[in-house]
Amino acid sequence: MIKNLIFLYLISFLITSSFLTIKIEKLKNEIEQSFRYLSDSIYRYQINTINSKVIYGTKEIENILYLTKVKNDETVKDISENFSNFILDSRRNEIVSGNIWTVANIYPKYMFVEPYRKAYERIHEHTDTDNERSYFDYLVGLENIEVNLEKSNLSIYETMKVYGPYTESDTNEELITIYYPLYVNRKIQSILLLDIKYGFFDEFIINFNKRNFSVIKKRR
């Protein structure tokens, strides 16, 4: 699970050290542990959202963006409270801390997103209403996300996808996007998306060096 995370990928070729190799190993372990905690948070969040109440989509829900036209009898999982709690929990995680840019939970017909930015309304550009193809379907195809794990030996977290670094056009923020497909009975239900500022890694290394009196830095 952890070996697929971007941080081991970064460490494998971006870090040099003017100190002992043991410090590098300690840094790897701390990064891995922090992401185990984040993975645990995602798992708890997934369990909670499975049991979320279902309401009619025409009702007002905070931070929701509909990806297709809402019908009067359309039902929506109201994950608002669980979604907010997950964001707070994630921001307490040392590896990402204050570097979370956006969190979104994307379902086939709607998505929850925090913070809500006007630019996200352009997501509809990836929606084909005639064929009922939404932004969710767009991401599944673009990132080659597994929709059914019944015939796969992959664990849920081995299906994680990482994109970036890239520069967000509206804000010029350099980001990395991590997609966590969320499954129920090994069939995809939604996609949890985390946009993280690319500088998070520098910040983590700086704090590590202060705690361990080391001089570890990324190659430029």
Side-chain angles (χ1 to χ4, degrees):
M1 175 176 74
I2 299 300
K3 69 180 180 181
N4 293 323
L5 294 173
I6 187 171
F7 308 102
L8 298 189
Y9 161 81
L10 284 169
I11 288 172
S12 65
F13 69 93
L14 287 181
I15 291 180
T16 58
S17 175
S18 59
F19 208 59
L20 299 176
T21 303
I22 192 170
K23 296 293 184 181
I24 295 287
E25 290 303 315
K26 185 174 182 181
L27 175 61
K28 288 181 180 180
N29 290 335
E30 286 196 14
I31 290 173
E32 182 172 341
Q33 188 62 47
S34 291
F35 255 80
R36 285 188 184 276
Y37 290 146
L38 183 58
S39 296
D40 289 344
S41 297
I42 292 169
Y43 178 74
R44 290 194 300 273
Y45 168 74
Q46 181 183 13
I47 296 300
N48 290 333
T49 56
I50 289 173
N51 297 312
S52 295
K53 64 180 179 181
V54 175
I55 64 175
Y56 287 110
T58 51
K59 293 185 178 180
E60 288 295 326
I61 305 177
E62 188 177 2
N63 297 328
I64 193 170
L65 175 63
Y66 290 99
L67 304 176
T68 59
K69 187 175 180 180
V70 185
K71 301 175 183 177
N72 290 333
D73 60 349
E74 197 84 67
T75 57
V76 172
K77 289 181 72 69
D78 185 4
I79 63 170
S80 302
E81 184 177 354
N82 293 323
F83 187 63
S84 296
N85 289 338
F86 170 71
I87 293 172
L88 290 174
D89 195 26
S90 299
R91 285 177 175 155
R92 288 192 289 264
N93 187 284
E94 187 177 3
I95 191 68
V96 292
S97 188
N99 292 299
I100 293 180
W101 184 249
T102 304
V103 180
N105 198 167
I106 305 159
Y107 287 81
K109 295 187 177 183
Y110 55 90
M111 62 184 282
F112 289 81
V113 59
E114 172 67 32
Y116 188 97
R117 297 185 177 95
K118 187 71 175 177
Y120 296 150
E121 294 178 8
R122 292 204 301 273
I123 284 174
H124 286 286
E125 294 174 2
H126 303 297
T127 297
D128 182 352
T129 53
D130 291 336
N131 296 307
E132 297 186 347
R133 182 181 182 275
S134 72
Y135 181 58
F136 174 89
D137 303 303
Y138 169 80
L139 288 181
V140 167
L142 181 69
E143 300 298 332
N144 196 27
I145 293 173
E146 295 279 351
V147 297
N148 193 325
L149 300 182
E150 289 182 343
K151 297 181 180 179
S152 171
N153 292 322
L154 295 175
S155 69
I156 289 175
Y157 292 107
E158 286 176 321
T159 62
M160 185 202 73
K161 303 289 183 179
V162 177
Y163 175 73
Y166 65 96
T167 301
E168 189 178 69
S169 58
D170 291 285
T171 61
N172 291 321
E173 189 71 45
E174 193 172 15
L175 304 170
I176 287 173
T177 297
I178 306 178
Y179 301 98
Y180 290 90
L182 302 181
Y183 298 86
V184 177
N185 296 326
R186 301 188 68 80
K187 294 180 181 178
I188 195 166
Q189 183 183 63
S190 66
I191 301 169
L192 184 63
L193 175 156
L194 281 78
D195 284 336
I196 302 173
K197 297 179 185 179
Y198 189 48
F200 77 93
F201 198 54
D202 299 282
E203 185 176 308
F204 190 86
I205 293 174
I206 289 170
N207 292 334
F208 177 87
N209 285 333
K210 288 179 180 178
R211 293 195 305 270
N212 294 275
F213 305 101
S214 56
V215 186
I216 299 174
K217 54 187 176 182
K218 289 187 343 186
R219 292 194 190 110
R220 300 298 180 185

